[in-house]
Amino acid sequence: MAKELTSRSENYSQWYNDLVIKADLAESSAVRGCMVIKPYGYAIWEKIQAELDRMFKETGHVNAYFPLFIPKSFLSKEAEHVEGFAKECAVVTHHRLMADPNGKGLIVDPDAKLEEELIVRPTSETIIWNTYKGWIQSYRDLPILINQWANVVRWEMRTRLFLRTAEFLWQEGHTAHATEAEAVTEARKMLEVYADFAERFMAVPVLKGVKSANERFAGALDTYCIEALMQDGKALQAGTSHFLGQNFAKAFDVTFMDKSNKLDYVWATSWGVSTRLMGALIMTHSDDNGLVLPPNLAPFQVVIVPIYKNEEQLAAIDAKVDEMIPKLKALGISVKYDNNDNKKPGWKFAEYELKGVPVRLALGARDLENGTVEVARRDTLTKETVAIEGVENYISDLLKTIQANIFQKAYDYRASVTREVNSYDEFKVEIEKGGFLMCHWDGTPETEELIKEETKATIRCIPLNGDTTPGVCMVTGKPSAQRVVFARAY
Amino acid sequence: MAKELTSRSENYSQWYNDLVIKADLAESSAVRGCMVIKPYGYAIWEKIQAELDRMFKETGHVNAYFPLFIPKSFLSKEAEHVEGFAKECAVVTHHRLMADPNGKGLIVDPDAKLEEELIVRPTSETIIWNTYKGWIQSYRDLPILINQWANVVRWEMRTRLFLRTAEFLWQEGHTAHATEAEAVTEARKMLEVYADFAERFMAVPVLKGVKSANERFAGALDTYCIEALMQDGKALQAGTSHFLGQNFAKAFDVTFMDKSNKLDYVWATSWGVSTRLMGALIMTHSDDNGLVLPPNLAPFQVVIVPIYKNEEQLAAIDAKVDEMIPKLKALGISVKYDNNDNKKPGWKFAEYELKGVPVRLALGARDLENGTVEVARRDTLTKETVAIEGVENYISDLLKTIQANIFQKAYDYRASVTREVNSYDEFKVEIEKGGFLMCHWDGTPETEELIKEETKATIRCIPLNGDTTPGVCMVTGKPSAQRVVFARAY
């Protein structure tokens, strides 16, 4: 089964699609651009959700739910926002179907036209700020720290499973503050939460930075982002946190009385990550044999496969596994025992390799005699034979080792393809090789646009903790405050 | 604050609306019929979700996610299903907006009309069975036991917060089976899960039964339901589980090879509960002072309010509370300490009464001297003074007592308004008083329809564990197999 995957070197893009489908993560649906997230893929997403939700609550946020639909007129209220979203939105125009009088199935009932069209939310700033208007009068009502788990729709023309789909799942935080400083602090704090989550749970190293004006969220004053690097050398934006200034408060007339009894507009942030993270997770770690999942997000961390020739042997293995499982669970390790008799061990080995299960235990009759078990690591594809007695502690340590190892591997890869480039000629050569190019840029949208047109590279971010030695723009020779990160991106 | 609630006796419906809004559970949005679920309301919904999700997983189900949109043609494939949903659905016809050439904001771009209209899912049987077609070839692929947490849209004309909204949140289970018996068993098993959840967590007693043909889900062969009774004597359908037979398998041509190598259509169930449960929860237990929440679903079970005259007293109380909280948490009790200095104790008492917090502790300087604390129960509105030492155990027991007490109260109320009625004349009088009327009925849709037209009462269910003594229909005098449950309903 694993052999059916296209190899990465042959066709990276095809490898990705093959893997998403064959590992039972997701598939395309009958609706253009919309995916079905299958149980195994959804189980990973649930782990992502649970951990992020815990982190959001720990930082003082609460969940709520706002409508799926946005009145068309709301979109127009923030000028840049509408520019960003009007061109790719699903529009509800009617509220009823009827039988076709010509007998051809169902048609839209022309008498059921909505007075005002509704947009399926591409993001919820407008409906939320229209709601916040009713909640905020005084500084005592602030801050509001709300998150929403929801589906959103952006009518993308070219879609790819997880990476770019017409409908996707995400969380969107929307906070309201009394001061600019507090809002900026919030936007940066959530960026740190995202980076911490990406590195500690997804094992994906990320650069933290701020977007250039061209790449900013429609309606934001500043967009902070975490940028990851995939194995093909392309960048992937994994999460964004926006300082929205008073733009949405002004658009929806949300004011508050401050401590000195002065009326002012409310300051805002919004921040989100989506099922796109699944794409980042898959492309950072996986190999030609299939998925490689970080233990911290694997639906099950350990699979046990029995090796037996007859019922008697199986019964003895079953009995031993019954002893092992509670010991593993007591250490917080999730485990699946696959004693399905319809499949051979070899098939199972390939299947769980494809599905990225971090640790595989194989237990046979001889192991029982010797008091041993074979432990196979998915990340290194190596095996060892260890004593069954105390194997739970061995595995607990091993899972931590694997989590650290796949992070380090991704980190080292990124380091190996991150380099400083000082001339535009060199840039044009280097960008073909992929990776992050650290370059001086004159800070203008025009130069950025020119580079994008000529090389398909964009500024991924202006690093927050980067080298701040000034220099001169590689294209125009004008002054540059610091190097910024260029890459081709998903 | 609590005083602003309309009383139940004055206007039950207004009391409900007041309560939902003033207790910060939900509010209407700018989009007709769609609600905003506020953080306090959503926190209850999260508790409902977490427990149900655990129960679903314990019974072998996994989660997945299917598209929000359903191609129009899919709806027509199951004849009764389309009948049920085509008249109240949101229809997406376009995928882009554009600037109005006449300068009047945004208009739908006529060049962005979809080839086939998309329906925002009112329920997902059609898109899911179209997907299952690709997953099922053999009996080895069965059963499929999938649940989805999602938003759905039904374009209801008269809406009420939680009870009936155009968009609502729910879970929908969709299972596929090799045999009729297995599917029926599944549908009944999930009914038991719902009943168990309603009674043990919501503290809402429910009748389990099967719907008459008139009240069945559009496309089902049998709809099982749990029916609750609100304090105004009206019934509320709290959850349904459908045996769908082979209807959807036939509509979407989903066949499988059975063990004897014979091709057959797959058997199906679907089952769901929604944010409507919030309405049932509120209306079953709450009173004229506000919400009464069952401890098993309260966002926080205990609130501690300090009573102090000066900073020094507050500091001493703070210190004592710092000792108490870890002891409460160690017993799994959720607790909030409200030492906000901007509000007086009286305001806080009213506020937490309105919000239905099961137990309120008040701690003053004299309590510290005496080693006591005042414990107030929300359900009985009674108070006692108990020793602080060991109060965590006292509260742990008290929460169980409260959970049991509010269930018993609801159970007794239901028993007091459930009665047998034997003539249609008596029925017409009794139905005005509310409650469940147990009556003989001849089993025909015509008689049921007549009763509904003349009295607004519907058959809530044919009880699964009811008295099966036969009799004669109260309207037609024809034979009746058993008494069924009539009521007016939400």
Side-chain angles (χ1 to χ4, degrees), chain A residues 124 152 312 356 490:
Chain A
S124 300
V152 286
E312 195 185 341
Y490 279 94

Side-chain angles (χ1 to χ4, degrees), chain A residues 46 63 65 72 93 167, chain B residues 46 63 65 72 93 106 167:
Chain A
E46 282 182 298
N63 289 328
Y65 188 76
K72 189 187 68 177
T93 56
E167 181 192 15
Chain B
E46 282 182 297
N63 290 327
Y65 189 77
K72 189 186 68 176
T93 56
L106 287 174
E167 181 192 15

Side-chain angles (χ1 to χ4, degrees), chain A residues 27 29-31 34-39 42 46 57 62-69 71-72 74 76 82 86-97 106-108 114 117-121 127 130-131 135 146 151 153 155 157 167 169, chain B residues 27 29-31 34-39 42 46 57 62-69 71-72 74 76 82 86-97 106-108 114 117-121 127 130-131 135 146 151 153 155 157 167 169:
Chain A
E27 64 183 40
S29 78
V31 183
C34 293
M35 65 180 159
V36 172
I37 306 179
K38 298 181 77 172
Y42 200 83
E46 282 182 298
K57 283 175 177 156
V62 290
N63 289 328
Y65 188 76
F66 297 86
L68 171 67
F69 297 127
K72 189 187 68 177
F74 280 26
S76 326
V82 64
K87 287 172 197 154
E88 48 176 40
C89 59
V91 189
V92 176
T93 56
H94 291 75
H95 63 81
R96 194 164 58 226
L97 297 174
L106 288 174
I107 60 166
V108 169
L114 296 178
E117 295 89 343
L118 296 173
I119 309 308
V120 180
R121 63 181 162 219
I127 187 80
N130 183 69
T131 306
W135 296 0
I146 285 183
N151 53 345
V153 171
W155 208 265
M157 280 303 160
E167 181 192 15
L169 304 183
Chain B
E27 64 182 41
S29 78
V31 182
C34 293
M35 65 181 159
V36 172
I37 307 179
K38 297 179 77 173
Y42 199 84
E46 282 182 297
K57 284 175 177 157
V62 290
N63 290 327
Y65 189 77
F66 297 86
L68 171 68
F69 298 126
K72 189 186 68 176
F74 281 26
S76 327
V82 64
K87 286 171 196 152
E88 47 176 42
C89 59
V91 189
V92 176
T93 56
H94 291 75
H95 63 81
R96 192 164 61 226
L97 297 174
L106 287 174
I107 60 167
V108 169
L114 297 177
E117 293 90 343
L118 297 172
I119 311 306
V120 180
R121 63 182 162 219
I127 187 81
N130 183 70
T131 306
W135 297 0
I146 284 183
N151 53 344
V153 171
W155 208 265
M157 279 305 161
E167 181 192 15
L169 304 184

Side-chain angles (χ1 to χ4, degrees), chain B residues 103-404:
Chain B
K104 291 181 183 157
L106 287 174
I107 60 167
V108 169
D109 184 340
D111 291 339
K113 194 167 187 305
L114 297 177
E115 271 183 51
E116 179 178 5
E117 293 90 343
L118 297 172
I119 311 306
V120 180
R121 63 182 162 219
T123 179
S124 301
E125 278 78 6
T126 57
I127 187 81
I128 287 178
W129 278 86
N130 183 70
T131 306
Y132 281 179
K133 183 175 168 56
W135 297 0
I136 302 171
Q137 277 89 42
S138 140
Y139 70 92
R140 288 190 198 86
D141 302 319
L142 297 171
I144 293 177
L145 303 172
I146 284 183
N147 175 60
Q148 160 170 283
W149 291 96
N151 53 344
V152 286
V153 171
R154 299 178 185 177
W155 208 265
E156 304 276 359
M157 279 305 161
R158 289 176 313 141
T159 60
R160 296 192 62 191
L161 292 166
F162 290 123
L163 296 172
R164 198 173 291 277
T165 48
E167 181 192 15
F168 55 92
L169 304 184
W170 79 345
Q171 60 68 217
E172 46 182 326
H174 294 274
T175 69
H177 305 268
T179 68
E180 173 171 14
E182 200 184 295
V184 170
T185 300
E186 166 78 7
R188 287 189 175 231
K189 180 199 285 174
M190 297 323 288
L191 186 77
E192 293 297 335
V193 167
Y194 287 155
D196 186 38
F197 172 76
E199 302 203 331
R200 284 199 301 124
F201 286 83
M202 297 175 60
V204 171
V206 291
L207 288 182
K208 291 177 280 190
V210 63
K211 288 285 183 192
S212 61
N214 282 10
E215 300 285 329
R216 230 176 249 153
F217 175 75
L221 297 192
D222 265 322
T223 288
Y224 300 95
C225 61
I226 51 171
E227 293 284 328
L229 194 67
M230 304 298 100
Q231 292 178 60
D232 62 347
K234 284 172 77 176
L236 187 144
Q237 176 181 300
T240 49
S241 180
H242 315 294
F243 167 58
L244 301 171
Q246 296 172 309
N247 285 353
F248 287 91
K250 284 177 182 166
F252 289 89
D253 192 29
V254 188
T255 58
F256 74 106
M257 199 65 82
D258 71 13
K259 283 187 183 170
S260 60
N261 246 7
K262 221 172 71 247
L263 211 61
D264 194 7
Y265 287 107
V266 179
W267 298 87
T269 83
S270 66
W271 30 275
V273 296
S274 73
T275 35
R276 194 164 210 237
L277 287 180
M278 295 286 294
L281 187 70
I282 296 161
M283 286 203 291
T284 300
H285 305 302
S286 302
D287 62 24
D288 292 350
N289 296 321
L291 274 181
V292 175
L293 291 176
N296 289 353
L297 294 177
F300 45 99
Q301 297 167 313
V302 175
V303 64
I304 306 176
V305 177
I307 318 284
Y308 57 96
K309 295 205 182 91
N310 53 51
E311 286 296 314
E312 197 186 340
Q313 286 185 357
L314 179 59
I317 296 167
D318 283 352
K320 177 54 77 178
V321 171
D322 279 350
E323 288 171 22
M324 292 167 68
I325 287 180
K327 292 181 191 163
L328 289 164
K329 288 195 172 162
L331 296 178
I333 297 166
S334 52
V335 53
K336 172 179 174 165
Y337 178 40
D338 184 355
N339 60 354
N340 178 349
D341 199 36
N342 291 326
K343 307 283 187 189
K344 296 218 184 314
W347 187 94
K348 293 178 186 174
F349 285 15
E351 173 71 8
Y352 295 114
E353 213 163 270
L354 177 62
K355 293 220 163 143
V357 181
V359 171
R360 182 188 72 223
L361 304 185
L363 195 61
R366 208 181 314 161
D367 288 308
L368 288 190
E369 278 170 31
N370 299 341
T372 58
V373 58
E374 185 190 85
V375 180
R377 278 174 69 163
R378 176 63 186 89
D379 61 333
T380 54
L381 295 172
T382 53
K383 295 188 241 186
E384 335 180 48
T385 298
V386 307
I388 288 193
E389 186 66 33
V391 73
E392 61 279 6
N393 294 313
Y394 179 85
I395 291 172
S396 178
D397 291 343
L398 182 59
L399 290 169
K400 292 189 193 88
T401 303
I402 294 171
Q403 181 79 25

Side-chain angles (χ1 to χ4, degrees), chain A residues 140-361:
Chain A
R140 288 190 199 86
D141 301 319
L142 298 172
I144 293 176
L145 302 173
I146 285 183
N147 175 60
Q148 159 171 285
W149 290 96
N151 53 345
V152 286
V153 171
R154 299 178 186 177
W155 208 265
E156 304 275 0
M157 280 303 160
R158 290 176 313 143
T159 61
R160 296 193 62 190
L161 293 167
F162 290 123
L163 295 173
R164 199 174 288 279
T165 48
E167 181 192 15
F168 56 92
L169 304 183
W170 80 345
Q171 61 67 219
E172 45 181 326
H174 294 274
T175 68
H177 304 268
T179 66
E180 174 172 12
E182 199 184 296
V184 170
T185 301
E186 166 77 9
R188 287 189 174 227
K189 180 200 284 174
M190 298 322 290
L191 184 77
E192 294 297 333
V193 167
Y194 288 156
D196 186 39
F197 172 77
E199 301 202 332
R200 284 199 301 125
F201 287 82
M202 297 175 62
V204 172
V206 291
L207 288 182
K208 292 178 280 192
V210 62
K211 288 286 185 192
S212 62
N214 282 10
E215 299 284 328
R216 232 176 246 153
F217 175 74
L221 298 192
D222 266 321
T223 287
Y224 299 96
C225 62
I226 51 171
E227 294 284 327
L229 193 68
M230 304 297 99
Q231 291 178 64
D232 62 347
K234 283 173 78 176
L236 188 143
Q237 175 181 299
T240 49
S241 180
H242 315 294
F243 167 57
L244 302 171
Q246 296 172 310
N247 286 352
F248 286 92
K250 285 178 182 166
F252 289 89
D253 192 28
V254 188
T255 58
F256 74 107
M257 198 67 80
D258 71 13
K259 282 187 184 170
S260 59
N261 244 9
K262 222 171 72 248
L263 210 62
D264 194 8
Y265 287 107
V266 179
W267 298 86
T269 83
S270 67
W271 29 274
V273 296
S274 72
T275 36
R276 194 165 209 237
L277 287 181
M278 296 285 294
L281 187 70
I282 296 162
M283 286 202 290
T284 300
H285 305 301
S286 303
D287 62 25
D288 291 350
N289 296 320
L291 273 182
V292 174
L293 290 176
N296 289 353
L297 294 177
F300 44 98
Q301 297 166 313
V302 175
V303 63
I304 306 176
V305 177
I307 317 284
Y308 57 95
K309 296 206 182 90
N310 53 51
E311 286 295 314
E312 195 185 341
Q313 286 185 356
L314 180 57
I317 296 168
D318 282 351
K320 177 54 78 179
V321 170
D322 280 349
E323 288 171 24
M324 292 167 69
I325 287 181
K327 291 181 192 165
L328 288 164
K329 287 194 172 164
L331 295 178
I333 297 166
S334 52
V335 53
K336 172 177 175 167
Y337 179 39
D338 185 355
N339 60 356
N340 179 349
D341 200 37
N342 290 327
K343 308 284 187 187
K344 297 222 183 314
W347 187 93
K348 292 177 187 174
F349 285 14
E351 174 70 8
Y352 296 113
E353 213 163 270
L354 178 61
K355 293 220 162 143
V357 182
V359 171
R360 182 187 75 223
L361 305 185

